[in-house]
Structures are given as structure tokens and as C-alpha cells.
């Protein structure tokens, strides 16, 4: 692989992106957390994402919508380099997190993932106790000096995930014993515990019932005060309810991005309108 | 590039770079403690300001403590990776040692030393009416002495000893040759006889002429003294010694003499035994699997059958030998040592393999095919036997071949039912005649005291492994050739 | 003569098969004719002609062949009993069972036309002729009876054929029964194993007390056969044999479990797909090598190397040390453990792995803290199966371990194992009447019980473990 050349290109791309970045975010009045430019993703020979450029604001919820297979999850997983786990996956383009190129050779994916947490489609608590689940991240990253501090972190995280009251009496019961909605909130608490700056959510409510979904959505609303949240969702209603900005993906391309209200009421693109009005998807 | 490679590289360069960054960042502010302390984002950041610190405490990921910790974590990760790699390399190395020690010892047995001599078939030594009673040993001895210098002929002790150079089978081989061509009697013929095993090995460089070192050097006793070694060297100088490919390894039956021992009996025996095994276990296994997969109601009986099948697959093979001994031989009176009883025992052991493979193959047939068959009015039986079974056949055959390959290598149960018979003649082999099979032949040879059997054993193992590789390759080919993606 | 008898049985089998084929064809033709001339609903065939044919063929062939099989299986036993009864009473009187068996065996061997040393007694010659006559008669009778049953079956089936007859149903029912019988062979095999072991084991315990077998510290079966000192000498204590088995198995597992597990971890978590594509078949090849090959490898390469090593470090080492046998058995177990651990690790849901990596854990942290705990039951089950295999493994120890039972835990000494004893006690000609042979069955019983327990435990763990993730 011609690594040197690639790094050079990355550096120049990154510099350019840094200069032009921030435009879209200023509309919301916040800062840009992520600036991504000319993103192409390949699985072996097959291209999954075509030339996507997208800015993601801090302290806001960005929703990625689109029909299944449109690349929204793939894009999301580029943001904390989860795609590195897939052997045949190749990512091109610029991803700036706070102006820093996360695909730069100097960036350690381990650190990156601590800063950019992730919540998955299916709740995936570890086969450990509730406490150990939440303490897992702080422990491996060494975020707590001693047991008291660790307990503090666990409590804070569970409180923020609105789960504390339900589990405070059984912190040492297995995490797998919780209900689906509780498990997902446990996973959110687990992600919060490493004190990330960004939380990526990949259809976090798709496996849950309506009541649990509502709780998760409330939670997202609270969390956006402090975090940059990117959420992939299947449900347009959900996107409309929780997000500040919405990006519509179709067949690996970013069709349209804008304030959620505008996307849902006055989309600029015909394709977006077709999708939103239920012509396909 | 895998994540690990990237990560490992990142670790080298990043640790120093980030450390640098962090120092710059903390130069302006108070040094942040690794955990808990509120630090403002990271050093390179321009956009996230101190305003963020209010609600969520941010971690200073680039503090020296954190970076040191990170380095340790990556080092631990690399350690684990290399230990795992080491384990695999060790396993591969052991396999390498195994194969190379077999090849080292075995390849020499694929060639065999022959000595070309002239034999004078004097009528007074060979009576054409009764050639069997001819003085063949003497003819061979004289043939040897003709080729050797005067001193061997003069010295009676030496003259008697020279026969040790050629195989004890040489007189019989010469006799058989002349009996097939009676017109040769009275003439002098040129004929190649086998060298005796020690000289075969000496010729191949496996054993030296002199053993011990320094003061204690002495001629190798196995070669019968320095005179014989000299005689052999003389024969060699006369270009009489040759080492052609050893077809006898495949076409001779077993023998007490290493130089004439071959695998023909074992190969035929293995074939017959596998035939019995296949004839019993293949149809039985398929029918059993079809029943369990397609027809069996979910009840105690079928549950019990399943548990039994899984258990049988893990019962030690020697126990099956005990079963064969007590039940087949002891109770039903099946003749001992025969391919029939061996095949019956092996078929019980192969059955679980075939049943499990067949069930997997049947499971892989998509429901759409079944529904299509039922949809055009086929009965359940017709659906299974006309539509599902043919589609599943390649998978079933693959399983059957793998089962047969296992059966081919099975030794212990066959030893118990006596399938280590000594078969010096393959003309009289049959399902109810005593027989031996490849693995038990290997066991018997490995147990033989003669040195020559060491390389014979290794060669027999190579032949066995060759058969296994061919069978497995066939199974893999079959699987790939007919594998259908649904 | 035995020859006549065998020819008769073969002839009967072939005749019955031919008759069944013929009957099938007749049945098919009859139905086919009806089908061709059928005009309306009332005379239409319920089943296709081929089922009519099959129905007749099954009724003709199957009962007759089953009868023949039963005949062949039972004839030997019946004739033996008759033979014994027909012997002059003055010969048999006062002889115990083994001695009678010797006489009967001699008669059977001679009747089969095989030469035996020595001139037979006149009563034996008589018996031989009698037996040969009986065998010929039995052959004739089998042939006649078989054909009669086949014809009866044919007649019965033929009478039931009619256009409305549900031949397909009947044939399918027969097939279902055939399949059920095949499936039950798994049970029959287990029953056969248990019965043959129990039967001989009980006979063994009638000669040697159970407590002595279970708790005795000396195992000297070869000496014990000489005289009637069996029970008193206490030479059938299984403790040293089992200790040897455990010692060798422990060496094997200590060697194989870490290597197998670590290589599985590397293959599942670190290796590139290309590396896997090379390494997996290599491990599979290692797993497919017959154990007799490992045994030869042990005596050829490993045992001398271990002896050299032991002597070099000042440990007196036996040429067939437990360490050598255990190491080679370990090599054999590596691919087994690796593949089972591989399965267990791969069965941990992908989400678990991603959840951990997504929190910024390294691979090693993910493996140690999430994957291994989650896969532990599966790995444990694999190790149990491996233990069961190590205990039951035969050829490696037969070739590379000792024969003398020594009670020691020093791996540099030679020990013997259960399987070695079974094979050495039973190899060669065996008679089922002395404690030496029967001891092998008692050991086999123990082996069966222990491995069965380990397998069941392993299966139980796997089943519980599966429920966790489904």
C-alpha cells in the first residue's frame, strides 16, 4: 500500500476541509464536531458509499435516515472506525473530529472509540453484572483512581441513562436479566461511562417496544445537552421527534441534509420527498 | 491492512506525537490528572472550548499517565497476539516435525536394492521334473561367488557366509522364475535378486559399515563382518547393484523379511473391510438420518436416539472393539480376524458420522423446495425421496467419504477383533478369510524387531496418509463442485 | 460340511431376491394393465403401479430374508447345544464348562475342514460327521423355509392388490418402519455395548471381588493367570492402571489445552482471512491423522528425544516414559481443542465483540474480559471432550507407553493405561473363561462409564450454554 502518498493526500485534504468546515453547523448556532469530506467506502470491490460530505454539529442530534442498505450505518461506523474490524472494508475521504483527522496514522482507534461511543441496534450487555457492564469502560481506560470513584462513575452514568432508580438495588445482578429497554439504557450508560464526546446510535430502538422506545427518545433529548449525538434510524417519525438535523441517504449517496423541520416539511430534492411521503423505503 | 497493524504502527508514532501534543496542551494549563480532572478537550482541538466543561467532565486522553497506560495496553495486546501466533507456529512446527520424520525415514523404502548375478542352472542341481526340490540355495551361492574374487571361493567359511548378502527369499525368487521358464535349465542366466535387508540399508546409507568411535570402533555386526561389506563393495564396483523403485511395497504381501514385505495384503484387506463398512453404514445411516430429520415425531424415543448418536460419536474406539469381540464374534459367531467382522465394527463407528452429515445436508435443503414438491401433490415420502434427497446427496456423500476416511485410519477396535493376521499370500483373501488392514499392518511392522521395518513402517504410513489425503480432497472437491447457494 | 451350508444360505438369499424382483414386476404389470384400461372413477387406481410392484416385492422379500438372517445368527448356538447334548455322557461328565467348550471347539474346527494337530478320538470323529450332517440339513431347511415364506408373502400381497388398494400408503409405512429400525441401531449399539460389557464384567467379578478391583494397588494380570491364586494374590487392582491413565492424560491436556486455546484465539481474533485459510486446513489435517501414525511418531522421534532431554537434566527417563506418550497425545489433541474453542469463540455474538471494541477496548481486553468469559462453557465442554478422548485414546499409548502397571506420578517413568491393558490382554487368541480376558472387559466397563459421564456432562454444558444466546 502506498501509505506515504495517502497520508500526504489526507493531510492536504484535511487542511482544506478544516478551512471550509463549519458552514453547515453555524446554522444551528453550535460548533461542528465532525467534518467529513468526500467519503467513499468499499467492501472489497463493491462501493457502499459514494462521495459523501457531511458536517455534524456538537450538542445536537443528527439523524441519518434512508431505506435499508443505503449506507447510513456504514457511514456511522466510519465515525469511530468500527469498520476497521472488517477485513475487506476500505475507507477513503476525510473525517475531522474537532479538526483532527481520525484516519490519520497518528490516531489510535482505541482512544478514538473512547471519545466516540457507540450504542448498537440490538442491546448487547456483556455477560456480567450491571455494575461491571458500566464499569467496563472506565476500568480498561483507567478513568477511576479507586473503587469509590468507580462507583461514582457508575452511578452518574446510570443516572444519566435514566436507569439508576430501576437497578440501584440489584447492581450485581446480571445485565442480561434486564428487559430489552433497560438493557439498551444499560448500553447507553456503558457508553456514557467512558465520558465520550460523541455518541453514535445505530437504530437504538428498533428492537424495543413503543414504551421503551419513548424512554430512549426522552433520554436522547436529555443527552444532547452535553453530547454530540448521531443516530441512524429506520423510523422517520423518530427522526422527526428527536433530531435537530437530518441527513437522507439513498443507495450510498447523501441526497440531502438540513434542519429536520425543513427536511420533513420542505425537502429540496424529489427523492427525499418521495421517501418521506412513503413512495418507497 | 488489519486494524491491528494500523494500531501497532499508530502506537509507535502516535504515542510520541500525542505525548508531544499533550505536553504542549498542558503547558498552558495546570497539569491534569489522568482521571476525573476536568481538562478541556484535547490539545489539537480548536472548536471545543472550556464551555463544555460545565456539565460533562471531559477526560484528558493525552495526559502522560493516559498515554503511558495506553502504551501498556497496546503492548499487552501485542503480547497476546504474538503468544497466539506462537501457539499456531508451534502446532505447525510439530506437524512439520511429524511429517518430515516420516518422510525422512519412509522415502528410502520406496526404493529397493537389487543385485544382478549370473546363475548357472546346472542340470545336476535342478531336476526339470521336480524343480521345487532343486538346490536353489547352492545355485545362488555359486552365482554370488562367481562374481567375487578368488579368496571368497577358497575360504570355505567365507563362501558359506556370502549368502547373507542376498535376501533369504532370493533362492525362491530364482526358483519361481525358472519354473515359469523351464527352457532355462542347463543354461547360465542373468537374474536380479534382492539384497538382504542390512545391505539394502547399508546401500541406502542408513546404517554405516563401522560403528562406535575412536578406540571402540568396530565393524557393524549387523552386516556380518568386514569381508561381506568388502564383497558388497566389489559387487557395487561391478555395477551389479541397482536401486529401482520398490513396486514390491505395493504388490507384495506381508513377510517376515523386511526386504520382501509389502502392503498388498493390507490394501486389499482395508478395501474389503471398508466395503463391508460402507455397505452397512451408508444406507442405514441415510435412512436413520432421514427418519430423524424428516419424519420423527418429537418424543422421548427420538430424543433418546439423538442422545445415543451423539454419545456413540464420542465413545472410545477400543470399546467398539470389545463390542465386536463379545457380541459379533462371541455371541453371533462371526469369524474372527475377517473383513466381515472388522467392517461390522467399523460400520457402527461410522454410523454417527454419516447420520450427522446427512442431517446437516438435509437441513440445508431450503423449505421452498419442499413446499414446491408438496404443492404439486407429492406425498411426504415422495417429497423426501424424490426431491430433497437428490439435492442433499453431494453433502451426504461428502460426509460418507469423511466417515470412510476415519474408518480407514481406525486401529484399536480392529486389533481387538484380530485383524492383525499375518497374510503372506493375497491369493486367498475374502470377506470371511483372515485379513489385515493398513493401520494394523503399520502397528505390526512398528512392533517388529528388524531394523528394516522402520523405514517400511514409515513408508506404509505415507501410503496410508496418501489414501487419506485423496479421500479428503475428494470430499472437498465434491462439496465445492456441488455446493448450491440458496 | 460347512461349505454346503454356506452355499445353501447364499442360494436361498439369491433365490429370494430374484423371487422378490419377479413378484415386483408381476405386481407392477398387473396394476399397469388396470391403469391402461381404466375408464372412469370406479376402477381408477388409487396408487401408481410402481407402488403395487413394490408392495408385492416387499412382502415377498423382507420376511423371508429376515427369517434367513435370524437363522444364520442362531444356528451356531443351537447346533452347539445339540452337539454338546449328543456327546457320549462318559466324555462330558465331570468336565467344567471351559473344558466342554474346548471339545466343542475342536469338533467345530474339524467340521469346517481345518486340520488340527493330533489324531482325534473316535467319539470326536463321530461328532464331526454328525455336525456336518446337521449343518447340511440346516442349510437345506433354511433354503426350503425361506422360499416357503417368500411364496406365502407373495400370495398374501397378491390377494390384497386391487385398483382401490392403497399400495402407496402401505409401501410408505414399510419405509417408515425401515427408517425407524435404522435409527434405532444407535440405541441397539449402545445396548450392545452395555450388555457385552456388563455380561463379561459380571463374570469377572464372580472371580475377583469388586472391592479388590476398585481399590487394589497391584495390577499383575499376566502372573495371575498361571494358577488359582487369582483372588488371593490381589493382582487385579485397577488403581495403578487408572493412575497411569490420568498421568498421561494430564500431561497431554497440560500441553494441548493452552496451545489449542491460544491458537483458536489467534485464529478467531487476530488472523487475517488469508492466514485462516491456510492454518485451518493445516489443523484439520493434523486432526485427520490416524492415531497409529502418532504412535509410531512417538516411538520413532519423541520418545528418544524425551529420553535424551530427561537424561540431560539428570532425570532417569524410561524409553517409554509417560511424558513422551502424553506429549504425542497432546499433539493429537491440539487441533481437537483448537477447533472446539474456535467454535465456542465464534459462537459469542458479534454484538458482544463490537460492544467492547466500540468502548475503546483493545482486542486483548475484549478477549480476556468479554469473549473468554462468554465462551467459557463452550471451551469447558471442549476440554471435557478432549479429556474423554485422552482417556479413551488407545494406539498412541499401546505403542508408546508401558505395559507394567507402576503407581507413580513421575512423568519420566513408564506407566500403563486402561486402554493399553485392554489391548494387551485381548490381543491374540482369546477365550472368554479366564479372569485375564474378563479383566479387559471390566476395564472397558470403567472406561465406558467414565467417558460416557464426561460426554454427557459436556453435552449438558453445551446445551445450557446455547440457550443463553438463542
Amino acid at each position: 500500500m502506498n501509505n506515504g502518498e495517502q497520508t500526504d493526500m489526507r493531510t492536504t485534504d484535511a487542511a482544506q476541509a478544516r478551512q471550509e468546515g463549519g458552514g453547515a453547523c453555524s446554522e444551528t448556532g453550535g460548533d461542528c464536531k465532525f467534518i467529513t469530506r468526500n467519503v467513499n467506502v468499499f467492501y472489497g470491490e463493491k462501493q457502499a458509499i459514494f462521495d459523501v460530505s457531511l458536517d455534524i454539529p456538537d450538542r445536537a442530534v443528527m439523524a441519518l435516515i434512508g431505506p435499508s442498505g443505503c449506507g447510513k450505518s456504514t457511514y456511522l461506523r466510519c465515525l469511530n472506525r468500527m469498520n476497521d474490524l472488517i477485513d475487506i472494508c476500505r475507507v477513503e475521504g476525510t473525517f475531522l473530529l474537532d479538526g483532527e483527522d481520525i484516519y490519520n496514522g497518528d490516531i489510535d482507534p482505541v482512544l478514538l472509540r473512547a471519545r466516540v461511543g457507540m450504542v448498537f441496534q440490538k442491546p448487547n450487555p456483556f455477560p456480567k453484572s450491571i455494575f461491571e457492564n458500566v464499569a467496563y469502560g472506565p476500568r480498561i481506560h483507567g478513568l477511576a483512581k479507586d473503587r469509590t470513584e468507580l462507583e461514582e462513575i457508575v452511578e452518574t452514568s446510570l443516572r444519566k441513562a435514566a436507569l439508576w432508580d430501576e437497578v440501584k438495588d440489584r447492581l450485581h445482578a446480571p445485565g442480561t436479566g434486564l428487559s430489552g429497554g433497560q438493557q439498551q439504557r444499560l448500553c447507553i450508560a456503558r457508553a456514557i461511562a467512558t465520558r465520550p464526546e460523541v455518541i453514535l446510535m445505530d437504530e437504538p430502538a428498533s428492537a424495543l417496544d413503543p414504551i421503551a422506545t419513548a424512554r430512549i427518545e426522552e433520554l436522547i433529548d436529555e443527552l444532547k445537552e452535553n453530547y454530540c449525538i448521531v443516530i441512524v434510524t429506520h423510523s422517520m417519525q423518530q427522526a422527526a421527534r428527536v433530531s435537530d438535523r437530518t441527513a437522507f441517504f439513498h443507495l450510498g449517496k447523501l441526497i440531502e441534509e438540513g434542519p429536520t423541520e425543513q427536511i420533513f416539511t420542505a425537502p429540496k430534492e424529489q427523492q427525499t420527498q418521495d421517501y418521506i411521503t412513503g413512495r418507497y423505503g | 491492512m488489519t486494524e491491528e497493524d494500523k494500531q501497532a504502527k499508530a502506537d509507535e508514532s502516535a504515542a510520541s506525537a500525542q505525548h508531544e501534543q499533550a505536553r504542549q496542551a498542558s503547558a498552558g494549563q495546570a497539569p491534569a490528572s489522568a482521571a476525573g480532572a476536568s481538562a478541556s478537550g484535547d490539545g489539537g482541538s480548536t472548536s471545543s472550548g472550556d464551555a463544555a466543561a460545565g456539565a460533562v467532565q471531559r477526560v484528558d486522553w493525552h495526559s502522560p499517565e493516559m498515554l503511558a497506560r495506553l502504551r501498556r495496553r497496546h503492548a499487552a495486546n501485542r503480547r497476546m497476539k504474538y503468544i497466539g501466533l506462537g501457539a499456531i507456529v508451534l502446532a505447525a512446527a510439530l506437524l512439520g516435525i511429524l511429517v518430515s520424520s516420516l518422510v525422512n525415514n519412509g522415502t528410502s523404502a520406496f526404493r529397493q536394492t537389487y543385485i544382478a548375478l549370473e546363475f548357472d542352472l546346472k542340470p545336476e542341481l535342478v531336476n526339470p521334473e521336480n524343480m521345487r526340490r532343486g538346490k536353489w540355495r547352492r545355485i545362488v551361492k555359486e552365482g554370488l561367488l562367481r562374481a567375487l574374487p578368488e579368496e571368497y571361493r577358497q575360504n570355505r567359511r567365507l563362501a558359506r557366509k556370502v549368502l547373507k548378502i542376498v535376501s533369504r527369499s532370493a533362492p525362491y525368487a530364482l526358483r519361481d522364475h525358472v519354473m515359469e521358464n523351464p527352457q532355462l535349465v542347463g543354461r547360465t542366466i542373468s537374474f536380479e535378486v534382492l539384497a538382504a535387508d542390512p545391505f539394502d540399508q547399508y546401500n541406502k546409507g542408513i546404517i554405516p559399515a563401522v560403528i562406535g568411535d575412536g578406540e571402540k570402533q568396530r565393524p557393524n555386526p549387523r552386516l556380518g563382518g568386514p569381508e561381506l561389506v568388502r564383497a558388497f563393495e566389489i559387487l557395487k564396483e561391478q555395477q551389479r547393484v541397482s536401486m529401482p523403485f520398490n513396486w514390491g511395497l505395493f504388490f507384495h504381501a506381508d513377510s517376515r523379511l523386511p526386504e520382501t514385505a509389502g502392503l498388498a495384503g493390507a490394501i486389499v484387506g482395508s478395501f474389503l473391510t471398508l466395503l463391508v463398512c460402507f455397505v452397512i453404514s451408508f444406507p442405514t445411516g441415510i435412512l436413520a438420518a432421514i427418519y430423524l430429520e424428516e419424519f420423527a415425531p418429537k418424543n422421548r424415543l427420538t430424543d433418546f436416539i439423538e442422545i445415543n448418536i451423539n454419545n456413540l460419536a464420542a465413545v472410545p474406539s477400543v470399546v467398539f472393539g470389545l463390542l465386536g469381540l463379545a457380541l459379533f464374534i462371541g455371541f453371533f459367531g462371526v469369524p474372527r480376524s475377517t473383513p466381515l467382522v472388522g467392517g461390522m465394527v467399523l460400520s457402527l463407528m461410522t454410523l454417527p458420522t454419516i447420520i450427522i452429515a446427512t442431517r446437516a445436508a438435509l437441513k440445508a435443503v431450503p423449505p421452498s423446495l419442499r413446499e414446491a414438491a408438496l404443492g404439486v401433490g407429492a406425498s411426504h415420502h415422495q417429497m423426501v425421496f424424490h426431491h430433497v434427497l437428490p439435492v442433499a446427496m453431494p453433502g451426504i456423500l461428502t460426509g460418507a467419504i469423511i466417515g470412510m476416511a476415519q474408518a480407514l485410519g481406525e486401529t484399536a477396535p480392529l486389533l481387538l477383533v484380530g485383524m492383525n493376521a499375518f497374510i503372506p499370500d493375497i491369493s486367498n483373501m475374502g470377506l470371511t478369510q483372515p485379513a489385515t488392514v493398513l493401520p494394523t499392518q503399520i502397528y505390526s511392522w512398528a512392533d517388529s524387531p528388524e531394523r528394516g521395518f522402520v523405514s517400511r513402517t514409515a513408508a506404509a504410513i505415507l501410503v496410508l496418509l496418501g489414501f487419506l489425503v485423496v479421500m479428503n480432497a475428494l470430499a472437498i472437491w465434491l462439496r465445492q463442485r456441488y455446493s448450491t447457494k440458496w | 460340511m460347512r461349505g454346503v451350508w454356506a452355499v445353501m444360505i447364499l442360494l436361498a438369499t439369491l433365490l429370494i431376491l430374484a423371487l422378490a424382483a419377479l413378484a415386483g414386476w408381476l405386481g407392477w404389470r398387473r396394476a399397469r394393465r388396470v391403469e391402461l384400461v381404466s375408464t372412469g372413477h370406479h376402477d381408477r387406481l388409487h396408487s401408481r403401479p410402481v407402488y403395487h410392484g413394490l408392495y408385492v416385492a416387499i412382502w415377498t422379500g423382507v420376511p423371508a430374508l429376515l427369517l434367513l438372517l435370524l437363522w444364520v445368527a442362531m444356528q451356531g448356538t443351537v447346533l452347539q447345544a445339540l452337539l454338546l447334548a449328543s456327546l457320549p455322557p462318559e466324555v462330558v461328565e465331570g468336565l467344567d464348562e471351559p473344558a466342554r467348550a474346548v471339545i466343542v471347539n475342536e469338533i467345530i474346527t474339524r467340521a469346517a475342514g481345518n486340520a488340527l494337530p493330533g489324531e482325534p478320538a473316535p467319539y470326536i470323529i463321530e461328532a464331526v460327521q454328525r455336525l456336518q450332517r446337521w449343518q447340511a440339513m440346516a442349510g437345506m431347511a433354511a433354503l426350503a423355509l425361506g422360499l416357503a415364506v417368500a411364496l406365502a408373502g407373495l400370495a398374501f400381497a397378491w390377494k390384497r392388490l386391487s385398483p382401490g388398494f392403497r399400495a402407496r400408503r402401505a409401501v410408505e409405512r414399510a419405509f417408515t418402519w425401515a427408517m425407524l429400525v435404522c435409527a434405532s441401531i444407535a440405541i441397539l449399539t449402545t445396548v450392545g455395548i452395555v450388555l457385552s460389557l456388563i455380561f463379561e464384567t459380571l463374570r469377572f467379578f464372580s472371580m475377583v471381588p469388586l472391592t479388590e478391583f476398585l481399590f487394589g494397588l497391584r495390577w499383575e494380570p499376566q502372573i495371575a493367570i498361571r494358577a488359582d491364586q487369582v483372588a488371593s494374590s490381589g493382582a487385579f487392582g485397577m488403581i495403578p492402571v487408572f493412575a497411569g491413565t490420568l498421568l498421561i492424560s494430564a500431561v497431554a491436556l497440560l500441553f494441548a489445552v493452552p496451545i489449542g486455546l491460544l491458537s483458536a484465539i489467534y485464529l478467531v481474533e487476530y488472523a487475517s482471512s488469508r492466514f485462516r485459510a491456510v492454518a485451518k486446513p493445516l489443523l484439520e489435517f493434523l486432526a485427520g491423522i490416524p492415531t497409529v501414525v502418532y504412535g509410531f511418531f512417538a516411538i520413532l522421534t519423541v520418545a528418544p528425544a524425551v529420553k535424551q532431554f530427561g537424561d540431560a537434566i539428570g532425570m532417569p527417563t524410561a524409553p517409554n516414559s509417560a511424558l513422551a506418550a502424553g506429549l504425542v497425545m497432546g499433539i493429537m489433541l491440539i487441533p481437537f481443542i483448537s477447533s472446539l474453542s474456535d467454535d465456542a469463540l465464534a459462537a459469542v455474538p458479534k454484538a458482544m465483540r463490537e460492544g467492547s471494541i466500540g468502548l475503546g477496548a483493545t482486542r486483548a481486553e475484549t478477549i480476556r474480559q468479554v469473549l473468554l468469559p462468554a465462551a467459557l462453557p463452550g471451551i469447558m465442554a471442549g476440554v471435557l471432550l478432549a479429556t474423554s478422548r485422552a482417556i479413551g485414546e488407545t494406539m498412541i499409548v499401546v505403542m508408546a507407553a508401558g505395559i507394567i502397571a507402576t503407581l507413580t506420578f513421575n512423568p519420566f517413568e513408564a506407566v500403563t493405561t486402561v486402554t493399553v491393558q485392554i489391548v494387551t490382554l485381548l490381543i491374540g487368541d482369546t477365550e472368554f473363561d479366564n479372569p485375564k480376558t474378563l479383566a479387559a472387559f471390566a476395564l472397558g466397563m470403567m472406561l465406558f462409564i467414565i467417558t460416557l459421564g464426561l460426554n454427557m456432562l459436556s453435552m449438558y454444558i453445551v446445551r445450557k450454554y446455547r440457550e443463553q444466546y438463542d
Side-chain angles (χ1 to χ4, degrees), chain B residues 159-480:
Chain B
R160 244 195 339 264
K161 251 174 108 177
V162 289
L163 260 180
K164 283 193 175 171
I165 296 177
V166 295
S167 166
R168 288 213 320 263
S169 70
Y172 304 104
L174 184 63
R175 181 191 72 192
D176 292 348
H177 177 68
V178 177
M179 278 172 79
E180 274 169 33
N181 308 284
Q183 76 279 5
L184 295 177
V185 177
R187 287 198 241 163
T188 302
I189 59 162
S190 180
F191 186 69
E192 288 198 322
V193 292
L194 278 167
D197 176 58
F199 285 93
D200 176 44
Q201 293 193 54
Y202 171 66
N203 190 35
K204 288 168 178 165
I206 300 172
I207 59 171
V210 185
I211 55 171
D213 38 25
E215 297 283 293
K216 289 183 197 155
Q217 260 195 1
R218 61 202 161 94
N220 193 337
R222 300 182 51 217
L223 290 169
E227 304 97 333
L228 290 188
V229 176
R230 208 164 53 243
F232 187 75
E233 288 299 335
I234 292 167
L235 293 173
K236 237 171 146 177
E237 273 162 32
Q238 293 171 353
Q239 312 278 328
R240 288 176 186 278
V241 177
S242 62
M243 214 165 53
F245 185 79
N246 183 11
W247 290 107
L249 182 64
F250 298 95
F251 295 115
H252 287 167
D254 197 6
S255 162
R256 299 281 182 230
L257 302 173
E259 64 269 22
T260 55
L263 291 170
I267 291 173
V268 174
S270 270
F271 174 77
L272 292 174
T273 309
L274 284 194
L275 189 73
V276 172
C277 170
F278 182 80
V279 165
I280 298 176
S281 64
F282 187 66
T284 316
I286 291 185
L287 286 180
I290 291 177
Y291 180 74
L292 292 174
E293 194 60 38
E294 305 279 345
F295 292 97
K298 198 81 191 117
N299 60 25
R300 285 239 187 99
L301 178 68
T302 50
D303 266 0
F304 187 59
I305 290 178
E306 284 205 29
I307 292 175
N308 264 296
I309 290 172
N310 287 332
N311 258 325
L312 282 182
V315 166
S317 59
V318 71
V319 172
F320 283 94
L322 292 175
L323 167 77
L325 193 56
L327 196 68
F328 293 157
I329 297 178
F331 190 73
F332 287 122
V334 183
R336 194 165 178 275
S337 295
T338 57
L340 183 63
V341 71
M344 285 166 79
V345 170
L346 287 185
S347 69
L348 293 183
M349 302 179 60
T350 327
L351 211 53
T353 313
I354 294 184
I355 292 178
I356 292 168
T358 304
R359 293 187 68 176
L362 291 173
K363 255 193 203 113
V365 176
S368 58
L369 186 75
R370 296 158 201 272
E371 283 155 13
L374 291 177
V376 294
S379 73
H380 195 169
H381 279 76
Q382 286 169 328
M383 181 264 281
V384 171
F385 285 95
H386 298 173
H387 301 277
V388 176
L389 195 57
V391 173
M393 218 34 169
I396 297 173
L397 282 177
T398 308
I401 293 174
I402 289 172
M404 289 297 126
Q406 279 171 9
L408 178 59
E410 205 54 71
T411 321
L414 297 184
L415 280 183
L416 291 197
V417 295
M419 287 206 70
N420 51 346
F422 177 65
I423 310 295
D425 176 19
I426 58 167
S427 57
N428 189 29
M429 291 191 72
L431 290 181
T432 51
Q433 298 298 322
T436 187
V437 291
L438 271 171
T440 50
Q441 181 77 77
I442 290 168
Y443 171 68
S444 318
W445 282 0
D447 228 20
S448 301
E450 287 92 346
R451 268 291 305 244
F453 276 116
V454 172
S455 64
R456 276 280 192 287
T457 312
I461 287 176
L462 291 177
V463 171
L464 175 63
L465 289 183
F467 278 117
L468 292 179
V469 166
V470 169
M471 288 172 91
N472 280 301
L474 189 67
I476 293 171
W477 176 80
L478 205 65
R479 186 159 51 198
Q480 279 167 356

Side-chain angles (χ1 to χ4, degrees), chain C residues 148-171:
Chain C
V149 170
L151 286 172
L154 171 59
F156 171 76
W158 195 261
K159 268 178 78 178
R160 293 192 61 186
L161 288 192
S162 71
F165 177 60
R166 304 181 161 191
R168 183 171 61 73
R169 289 275 191 79
V171 169

Side-chain angles (χ1 to χ4, degrees), chain A residues 1 3 31-33 58-59 81 84-85 87 89 97-100 103 105-111 113-115 138-145 149 160 194-198 225-228, chain B residues 1-4 6-7 9-11 13-15 17-18 21 33-37 41-42 44-49 51-59 61-62 66-67 69-71 73-74:
Chain A
M1 238 189 264
N3 252 322
D31 296 313
C32 255
K33 195 68 186 169
D58 201 0
R59 288 168 220 286
R81 294 185 55 171
D84 287 12
L85 299 187
D87 250 2
C89 181
L97 171 62
D98 292 334
E100 200 179 0
Y103 279 85
D106 290 347
I107 285 291
D108 187 340
V110 166
L111 267 193
R113 290 181 196 131
R115 288 170 61 193
R139 246 193 244 254
I140 56 173
H141 293 295
L143 299 185
K145 278 198 297 288
E149 204 172 327
K160 277 192 191 143
T194 60
R195 287 183 235 157
E197 297 150 39
V198 183
E225 300 291 316
N226 292 309
Y227 303 91
C228 162
Chain B
M1 210 158 49
T2 66
E3 190 204 6
E4 256 52 55
K6 288 176 193 166
Q7 214 162 281
K9 224 163 46 82
D11 190 42
S13 57
Q18 289 175 347
Q21 264 181 353
S33 77
D42 58 270
S45 153
T46 48
S47 50
S48 75
V56 178
Q57 292 183 333
R58 287 281 151 87
V59 181
W61 296 107
H62 295 138
M66 197 53 98
L67 288 176
R69 185 185 173 83
L70 199 64
R71 260 199 304 280
R73 291 173 60 198
H74 280 310

Side-chain angles (χ1 to χ4, degrees), chain A residues 120 122-124 126 190, chain C residues 348-357:
Chain A
F120 297 83
K122 236 183 104 190
N124 56 350
F126 302 136
R190 195 174 67 185
Chain C
V348 178
K350 214 178 100 204
M352 212 69 88
R353 190 172 286 119
E354 289 193 330
S356 170
I357 298 277

Side-chain angles (χ1 to χ4, degrees), chain B residues 85-102:
Chain B
L85 188 59
I88 289 198
V89 169
L90 182 61
L94 290 170
L95 180 63
I97 293 172
L98 192 156
V99 171
S100 67
S101 79
L102 290 177

Side-chain angles (χ1 to χ4, degrees), chain A residues 29-97:
Chain A
D31 296 313
C32 255
K33 195 68 186 169
F34 266 112
I35 301 171
T36 63
R37 287 289 175 274
N38 313 105
V39 175
N40 288 294
V41 179
F42 303 85
Y43 289 112
E45 294 296 300
K46 210 176 134 264
Q47 186 162 5
I49 290 188
F50 297 84
D51 199 38
V52 168
S53 296
L54 182 64
D55 295 340
I56 298 166
D58 201 0
R59 288 168 220 286
V61 178
M62 163 71 91
L64 311 181
I65 62 168
S68 43
C70 70
K72 53 192 193 299
S73 276
T74 304
Y75 176 82
L76 186 80
R77 294 164 65 94
C78 289
L79 295 178
N80 68 346
R81 294 185 55 171
M82 282 303 274
N83 282 334
D84 287 12
L85 299 187
I86 301 163
D87 250 2
I88 53 164
C89 181
R90 191 156 52 85
V91 179
E92 285 176 4
T94 312
F95 291 82
L96 299 181
L97 171 62

